[in-house]
Amino acid sequence: MVLTSLGVVVLLVAIPRAGWAVPSARLRRLVVVGDSLLAGFSSGGLVATGRAGQVDSAPAILARRAHVSLPQPLMDGPGVPPQLAIFDDNQNGALDPGEVRRPAGARIGFRSSPGRRVRNLAVPGEDTASVFDRIAPGDVAGAIVRNDDVAGRDLLKFLILGLPLRTSSVSQLSRAGELHPSFLLVWIGNNDVLDMATRTDPAAVQLTPTQFGARFHQLLDALAGSGAPMAVANLPDVTGIAALRRAAGEVTTCQTPSGAFQPVAPDDLLSLDLDRSLLPTPPCGKVLDAGKRAAVRATIVAFNAEIATAIADIGARRAVDIALVDLQAGFDRLAADGVDLDGNGTPDLTTRYLGGIFSLDGIHPTHTGNALIANIFIDAINARFGEGLLPMNIARVARRDPLTRSRFRPAGEPPFGLFGDGTDDELADFFGTTFKRVELGARSLQDDLRHDVFGLF
């Protein structure tokens, strides 16, 4: 009788019940390489829980669907740097110029668990060149404690890659190899092309497709050394970000450098943070007309062709299985159709500002946007590797996401000069501005660092 009972127990343990979530063996040691879009950066800042937070990152969502652990470098509040918020200064319930900004103060957050080894290695601001760059964590930590100048890019890398503190130099690629991944999630190159949108200039990117392709080959070749299969994403069309708004009749002409005036079409795009003193006739260089948008699109398509070639070449030469994740097509669909959550034929989520997909900075996703991105990765992984990961229920996520139902969602276009209370266009050099804010907050990390590496300095 006892033996029979034991046999039943063994069978119950060995055979999962219907619907029992079984962790994915392939994704058991998931490692992430990328930029801010995989790091969980949102509304202009990196913080564990926010709108959205690192816990809402696309890789974190995917890991939960695969029922595997993904340790992340979670940042304490107020964030690195603090996130943007809406300040309704005149209490009129509408979105007005200068009302999207960060709280006052220069303090930034620190790693909540600096002794934890993390596997989401994505660093905000990283591109296909800087992903190879190493930092010396001990040097960065020493500079912070001595109150020396520390570059914001290096400080971000230190907080994500340099803790627990080590003596050897480190990059995303070196860390990825050390972690012996069973699967790699890769999405990088967005910052190689972002300036074309934020500076409204197709010539802002001087990297040729051939040069980009060489970097991408080198990147995948380095990652292939782990032998792990990969899901590698391509680049969305950056003219689709919510940080750009339509002229929509508010701007009807622009001025060329020679002083001539040119017509501006209602669908031409300008930066949300355009200096309002330039209205109603901004320089033509501030306008992305149809021709410029086509030029940006052509660059994106050419770069994505290089990504596809690199995936095919490295996959064959290094015998590594690589899935292409077509985020260009995914974001094209979102821009064209939005997301109809209730099935009434009208999109409830759009790629417009405060449309629910992009966060307050107009560049990075909301929690709901991250869920949409995660689903595109899930579809590609299931198709290529035969996984059975279930997609996220977008309607359920959207119901809990404050940025999908903001009372400040404009009926038309948001106002120009939206960010901060100055005249500078914070979008034109988005990560340059972000790194400066991180640098200003470096002093606030001294006590954290002394406490967490006590006796080292």
Side-chain angles (χ1 to χ4, degrees):
M1 183 68 177
V2 173
L3 289 175
T4 302
S5 300
L6 286 173
V8 171
V9 170
V10 169
L11 284 172
L12 289 173
V13 171
I15 303 174
R17 298 186 303 272
W20 192 355
V22 178
S24 166
R26 182 178 281 104
L27 275 65
R28 68 190 183 281
R29 285 187 60 81
L30 176 65
V31 172
V32 180
V33 172
D35 54 35
S36 54
L37 292 170
L38 290 185
F41 193 97
S42 186
S43 288
L46 188 69
V47 65
T49 56
R51 300 186 174 182
Q54 292 169 275
V55 296
D56 307 315
S57 69
I61 292 170
L62 190 149
R64 289 194 289 270
R65 303 312 280 175
H67 306 286
V68 298
S69 170
L70 179 66
Q72 297 198 95
L74 301 177
M75 303 296 166
D76 293 326
V80 185
Q83 290 186 319
L84 296 163
I86 297 174
F87 294 83
D88 189 13
D89 297 325
N90 55 14
Q91 298 185 340
N92 67 351
L95 198 61
D96 294 315
E99 289 191 341
V100 178
R101 58 183 186 266
R102 290 177 174 83
R107 190 173 72 87
I108 61 174
F110 192 67
R111 275 270 295 270
S112 58
S113 299
R116 189 183 197 193
R117 284 169 60 97
V118 301
R119 284 192 268 115
N120 187 341
L121 309 177
V123 177
E126 204 90 295
D127 58 31
T128 56
S130 66
V131 72
F132 294 95
D133 295 340
R134 291 173 175 258
I135 60 159
D139 291 347
V140 176
I144 295 170
V145 171
R146 294 190 302 270
N147 199 27
D148 294 341
D149 291 337
V150 181
R153 182 188 295 273
D154 289 346
L155 185 51
L156 266 171
K157 278 200 170 190
F158 168 74
L159 290 173
I160 294 169
L161 304 176
L163 296 171
L165 200 64
R166 57 183 56 223
T167 56
S168 58
S169 62
V170 63
S171 69
Q172 281 199 63
L173 299 183
S174 70
R175 287 293 290 124
E178 293 169 6
L179 289 169
H180 305 293
S182 65
F183 195 87
L184 285 158
L185 213 64
V186 183
W187 190 17
I188 200 159
N190 296 288
N191 292 316
D192 292 273
V193 297
L194 178 63
D195 285 352
M196 292 191 293
T198 57
R199 297 183 183 180
T200 58
D201 180 9
V205 174
Q206 298 183 0
L207 188 68
T208 69
T210 300
Q211 292 168 332
F212 178 84
R215 288 182 184 177
F216 217 89
H217 270 80
Q218 186 181 0
L219 167 69
L220 292 189
D221 196 33
L223 293 174
S226 70
M230 311 180 207
V232 178
N234 63 11
L235 311 178
D237 185 342
V238 289
T239 64
I241 61 176
L244 298 175
R245 56 152 286 181
R246 298 180 304 155
E250 191 171 345
V251 174
T252 57
T253 57
C254 64
Q255 191 168 23
T256 68
S258 67
F261 294 97
Q262 291 184 354
V264 172
D267 287 337
D268 288 349
L269 300 175
L270 300 96
S271 170
L272 277 184
D273 208 29
L274 179 74
D275 183 349
R276 294 186 63 83
S277 70
L278 299 176
L279 298 173
T281 308
C284 291
K286 300 290 186 181
V287 180
L288 269 177
D289 60 21
K292 291 180 181 178
R293 292 200 304 275
V296 172
R297 177 80 175 191
T299 297
I300 299 292
V301 169
F303 280 25
N304 283 341
E306 294 292 338
I307 291 175
T309 298
I311 288 173
D313 289 351
I314 298 300
R317 182 161 55 83
R318 300 297 300 273
V320 173
D321 204 356
I322 307 176
L324 171 62
V325 183
D326 193 354
L327 283 169
Q328 179 189 336
F331 272 89
D332 284 350
R333 288 192 297 272
L334 291 173
D337 303 326
V339 181
D340 180 6
L341 297 175
D342 54 14
N344 67 355
T346 301
D348 302 287
L349 305 176
T350 75
T351 55
R352 304 278 288 278
Y353 194 74
L354 283 180
I357 294 173
F358 286 98
S359 66
L360 291 179
D361 61 27
I363 296 172
H364 296 89
T366 59
H367 184 186
T368 306
N370 278 324
L372 289 163
I373 291 168
N375 280 356
I376 297 172
F377 271 95
I378 285 170
D379 288 345
I381 291 169
N382 286 346
R384 179 75 181 197
F385 300 104
E387 291 284 328
L389 308 183
L390 296 177
M392 288 294 292
N393 183 320
I394 300 301
R396 183 176 300 170
V397 176
R399 283 196 295 270
R400 300 192 302 269
D401 186 346
L403 290 181
T404 64
R405 44 186 170 80
S406 172
R407 64 188 178 94
F408 292 100
R409 180 187 286 198
E413 297 296 328
F416 288 113
L418 184 63
F419 298 108
D421 46 12
T423 58
D424 291 339
D425 185 347
E426 292 199 16
L427 293 174
D429 183 17
F430 181 83
F431 275 106
T433 302
T434 298
F435 293 149
K436 284 293 183 184
R437 292 185 183 279
V438 173
E439 289 170 22
L440 290 173
R443 182 175 297 181
S444 69
L445 300 184
Q446 289 178 340
D447 290 341
D448 293 302
L449 197 54
R450 286 193 182 102
H451 176 268
D452 286 298
V453 290
F454 179 74
L456 185 60
F457 299 101

